[in-house]
Amino acid sequence: MNPPLKPGKVWLVGVGPGSPDLVTVRAMRALAAAEVWLVDDLIAPEMSCYASPGTHVEWVGKRGGRCSVSQERIQKLTLQHALAGRSVARVKGGDPLLFGRGGEEAAFLRGHGVAVEIVNGISSGIAAAQALGIALTHRAHCHGVTFVTGHTSAHGSPDWQALVRGGTTLVIYMGMSRLAAIRDGLLAAGMRSDMPAAVVMHAGSEQARSWTGTLGTLAEALAAGLASPAVMLVGGVVADTLQAVHAIVPDAGSLAA
Amino acid sequence: MNPPLKPGKVWLVGVGPGSPDLVTVRAMRALAAAEVWLVDDLIAPEMSCYASPGTHVEWVGKRGGRCSVSQERIQKLTLQHALAGRSVARVKGGDPLLFGRGGEEAAFLRGHGVAVEIVNGISSGIAAAQALGIALTHRAHCHGVTFVTGHTSAHGSPDWQALVRGGTTLVIYMGMSRLAAIRDGLLAAGMRSDMPAAVVMHAGSEQARSWTGTLGTLAEALAAGLASPAVMLVGGVVADTLQAVHAIVPDAGSLAA
């Protein structure tokens, strides 16, 4: 009889918002070391440049709330590979710890005796700020920034009243399908309709597109063709984009080797 | 007479929280391309592995509020190098757009006709979550996460009342010197004293150290020797660390080539 297999290691790897050059060195090494990749749907195919020859790649993503593979199934699949002794990279967009369910996946795997290492990545909200040429925080405008999901869950909407009173810049993920409700929630919470607002679609990728306006005109972003995956930014700092940039052009290629 | 010099390009480069392997590929390329580096104080000396031979390196950092070089002076120095035709990397910890004054520096330089490209980096708050083995957001706990500065400015303290009511995970930067006041502000705002809390010093670097407890026992972090630069994390998600990890060990070396 063979001795029981030592489980393979699992890396939960954030590969950032899209451009392969926004991957960290640590993520590249994890991607190269893993024998199996389990890849989320929104990951750019170009990311495969980081796979070692012979890597087994499976796409397990979810898109816009519709699960092509359920969260449970993804976790079981990851566990199966690890228990079979294979090292696994769970390849996730952005950062696994910010709306990435990395906490749930890590807890599940650790509960089964599998070693998990989380590798941080650039989140799309911060890449959106880069695309707009603005900072998310500014001494003159606010004390900080809040990242929230606009997606309805069992726990209802964010407390817009409290968030508006808190005065931080708001970066809203997964909110495009509820854009009008979010706008109405912020207006009802007392936010001025002329508060600067922006939407960035495919932030941090070559396909980045953006719209800037105000909270009151937010629905124009939909008319302009912006859709998921996109982040909304609302707050005084967003006005700085008007002075800072005149057109949004992807920066990714400008440093290409 | 010589024709007027074309200004050099300036990259505002976020090099992440400390470990050289948490730098992105785009940042590495910018660091290698720049003829001059103007480097913040808290940047690890190991980061110099990314400099091309002959790079002129100047340290211009600020530490704990005491300016060794003023913000104005840093901006002027950057501009001087750029106007002399030299390409410049302003090397910043974390991300330039999150408490990094990147917005101010970019606006100043663009106002003088200098081309600026911002390169995102991993912020210490998200690296702190990685060090603790927790996610910053979790469907079961909260709608999001708020990054605030605990540092007193002309604009007073954050509105703790609103932030507590908002129910997001709180990640507090630059708060160690005001730890007791922050704890008292959160308690006065109605946060439970048994709310899980953590402090991570040197998050995302080889020197990472952490403390976990509750809001009520937060001052013990100081007694345990945690000090600036450090981030505090407060919220339900922080409790997950207790199940997830038993000791904090730096992960940086585990993937070393």
Side-chain angles (χ1 to χ4, degrees), chain B residues 23-38:
Chain B
V23 168
T24 68
V25 174
R26 189 180 294 181
M28 281 197 315
R29 289 178 180 161
L31 293 172
E35 295 161 281
V36 175
W37 284 20
L38 298 174

Side-chain angles (χ1 to χ4, degrees), chain B residues 4-208:
Chain B
L5 269 174
K6 189 175 179 297
K9 176 172 182 171
V10 176
W11 289 280
L12 299 183
V13 186
V15 295
S19 284
D21 69 347
L22 286 175
V23 168
T24 68
V25 174
R26 189 180 294 181
M28 281 197 315
R29 289 178 180 161
L31 293 172
E35 295 161 281
V36 175
W37 284 20
L38 298 174
V39 184
D40 276 355
D41 222 24
L42 291 169
I43 303 296
E46 294 79 18
M47 221 54 89
S48 60
C49 66
Y50 297 122
S52 293
T55 304
H56 172 76
V57 177
E58 286 182 51
W59 293 79
V60 295
K62 292 167 289 183
R63 194 185 285 271
R66 275 173 303 139
C67 296
S68 49
V69 182
S70 73
Q71 183 66 24
E72 255 191 298
R73 177 89 193 98
I74 293 172
Q75 293 181 185
K76 277 190 189 157
L77 200 59
T78 313
L79 182 62
Q80 280 168 6
H81 282 296
L83 292 182
R86 292 185 277 270
S87 56
V88 182
R90 263 294 283 133
V91 185
K92 290 169 166 290
D95 188 290
L97 302 178
L98 197 60
F99 308 123
R101 298 230 185 147
E104 293 170 59
E105 296 190 23
F108 173 82
L109 293 164
R110 285 171 177 148
H112 286 84
V114 173
V116 178
E117 180 176 334
I118 290 165
V119 183
N120 290 130
I122 306 291
S123 190
S124 58
I126 193 104
Q130 191 270 348
L132 293 166
I134 60 168
L136 287 175
T137 61
H138 190 296
R139 288 177 303 152
H141 289 298
C142 59
H143 279 287
V145 56
T146 300
F147 297 83
V148 286
T149 169
H151 191 70
T152 312
S153 76
H155 307 281
S157 280
D159 185 339
W160 297 122
Q161 202 96 31
L163 292 177
V164 169
R165 229 189 92 199
T168 58
T169 306
L170 299 181
V171 181
I172 304 164
Y173 286 60
M174 295 168 280
M176 291 307 279
S177 64
R178 301 188 65 247
L179 184 141
I182 290 167
R183 176 201 60 203
D184 294 346
L186 290 170
L187 289 171
M191 187 178 268
R192 293 163 22 212
S193 71
D194 65 350
M195 181 64 84
V199 176
V200 184
M201 182 178 178
H202 293 303
S205 84
E206 298 275 356
Q207 291 77 43

Side-chain angles (χ1 to χ4, degrees), chain A residues 106-119:
Chain A
F108 173 81
L109 293 164
R110 285 171 177 148
H112 286 85
V114 173
V116 177
E117 181 175 334
I118 290 164
V119 183

Side-chain angles (χ1 to χ4, degrees), chain A residues 38-54:
Chain A
L38 298 175
V39 183
D40 276 355
D41 222 25
L42 291 169
I43 303 297
E46 295 78 16
M47 219 55 85
S48 60
C49 66
Y50 297 122
S52 293

Side-chain angles (χ1 to χ4, degrees), chain A residues 6 12 31 56 66 103 126 163 189 195 205 217-218 224 242 253 255:
Chain A
K6 190 174 178 296
L12 300 183
L31 293 172
H56 172 76
R66 276 175 303 139
I126 193 102
L163 292 177
M195 181 64 84
S205 83
T217 63
L218 198 54
L242 305 175
L255 280 168

Side-chain angles (χ1 to χ4, degrees), chain A residues 208-245:
Chain A
R209 281 187 59 194
S210 72
W211 170 93
T212 54
T214 64
L215 177 60
T217 63
L218 198 54
E220 290 175 12
L222 295 175
L226 283 100
S228 291
V231 288
M232 297 180 216
L233 296 92
V234 185
V237 294
V238 177
D240 296 339
T241 188
L242 305 175
Q243 290 92 50
V245 286

